[in-house]
């Protein structure tokens, strides 16, 4: 079968033209929304910082190197404490957590800010305030929390979310990273 080159060039040109139009539309949409998305993300992060350390007035951004690598933290301008932005691998990817720790070593709040865990199970870490409320206390002796599936029997234990132990461990390890960073910054150890 002989094909005429014109039979190929015409449809190919149309297909290339359609692809160029769609590509231009995607690039245009991205450029129009990128700034709005960045502003919205910053607003969400600022709200999370104030939620986990409500005594703070404003924050300066810092970076510290701990055993997990470099992490970003925010020091309250009024000396109220710090907010740490940490993450640890969960079931569906990294679980991002903001942890507020007051200047006197009290964990003032924990908020899961980035979570792609299983809906209905692991996502409870983000949606169930009773889970994150378990961390609100003085930094435990030894400076680390551990996850238990059999019920809390010690101050440093966190009851795992039923069916989401991996996610519970990810949040707990993220909080433990925040404690490590806090202790490095303040020179204290529990």
């Amino acid at each position: 079968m002989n094909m005429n080159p014109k039979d190929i060039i015409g449809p190919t040109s149309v297909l290339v033209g359609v692809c160029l139009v769609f590509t231009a539309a995607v690039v245009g949409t991205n450029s129009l929304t990128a700034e709005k998305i960045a502003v919205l993300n910053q607003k969400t992060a600022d709200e999370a910082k104030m939620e986990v350390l409500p005594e703070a007035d404003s924050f300066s951004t810092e970076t510290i190197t701990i055993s997990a690598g470099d992490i970003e933290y925010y020091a309250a301008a009024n000396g109220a404490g710090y907010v740490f932005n940490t993450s640890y691998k969960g079931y569906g990817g990294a679980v991002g957590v903001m942890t507020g720790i007051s200047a006197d070593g009290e964990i003032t709040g924990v908020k899961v800010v980035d979570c792609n865990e299983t809906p209905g199970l692991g996502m409870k870490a983000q949606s169930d305030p009773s889970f994150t409320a378990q961390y609100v206390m003085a930094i435990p002796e030894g400076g680390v929390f551990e996850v238990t599936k059999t019920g809390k029997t010690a101050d440093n234990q966190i009851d795992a979310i039923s069916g989401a132990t991996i996610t519970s461990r990810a949040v707990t390890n993220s909080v433990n990273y925040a404690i490590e960073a806090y202790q490095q910054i303040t020179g204290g150890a529990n």
Side-chain angles (χ1 to χ4, degrees):
M1 176 176 183
N2 280 338
M3 290 196 82
N4 187 343
K6 290 180 184 177
D7 292 338
I8 296 173
I9 293 174
T12 302
S13 298
V14 170
L15 185 58
V16 168
V18 168
C19 288
L20 289 173
V21 168
F22 280 116
T23 300
V26 169
V27 168
T29 300
N30 185 49
S31 67
L32 289 174
T33 59
E35 186 176 328
K36 290 178 183 176
I37 291 170
V39 168
L40 181 59
N41 287 343
Q42 184 61 50
K43 181 180 180 217
T44 302
D46 290 343
E47 288 171 355
K49 288 184 266 187
M50 292 305 295
E51 185 177 328
V52 298
L53 190 65
E55 298 83 23
D57 54 358
S58 63
F59 296 94
S60 63
T61 304
E62 310 287 337
T63 303
I64 189 168
T65 303
I66 62 168
S67 64
D70 290 345
I71 64 163
E72 188 173 72
Y73 74 95
Y74 311 95
N78 64 355
Y82 306 91
V83 174
F84 299 91
N85 190 7
T86 56
S87 67
Y88 194 88
K89 185 178 180 333
Y91 185 77
V95 176
V97 176
M98 281 202 180
T99 304
I101 303 179
S102 69
D104 60 355
E106 295 278 330
I107 298 172
T108 56
V110 171
K111 182 169 180 71
V112 177
V113 293
D114 187 20
C115 185
N116 294 312
E117 302 299 275
T118 307
L121 294 173
M123 290 302 287
K124 285 183 181 179
Q126 192 171 34
S127 63
D128 184 357
S130 66
F131 173 70
T132 54
Q134 296 180 83
Y135 299 95
V136 178
M137 65 174 72
I139 293 174
E141 187 149 338
V144 293
F145 286 105
E146 61 182 46
V147 175
T148 180
K149 296 192 290 185
T150 58
K152 185 175 178 169
T153 59
D155 287 340
N156 72 327
Q157 291 182 332
I158 300 297
D159 278 327
I161 297 169
S162 180
T165 306
I166 293 171
T167 305
S168 300
R169 283 194 180 112
V171 174
T172 299
N173 286 328
S174 293
V175 173
N176 287 339
Y177 286 158
I179 292 169
E180 179 185 347
Y182 172 83
Q183 290 174 334
Q184 186 173 324
I185 291 165
T186 61
N190 291 35

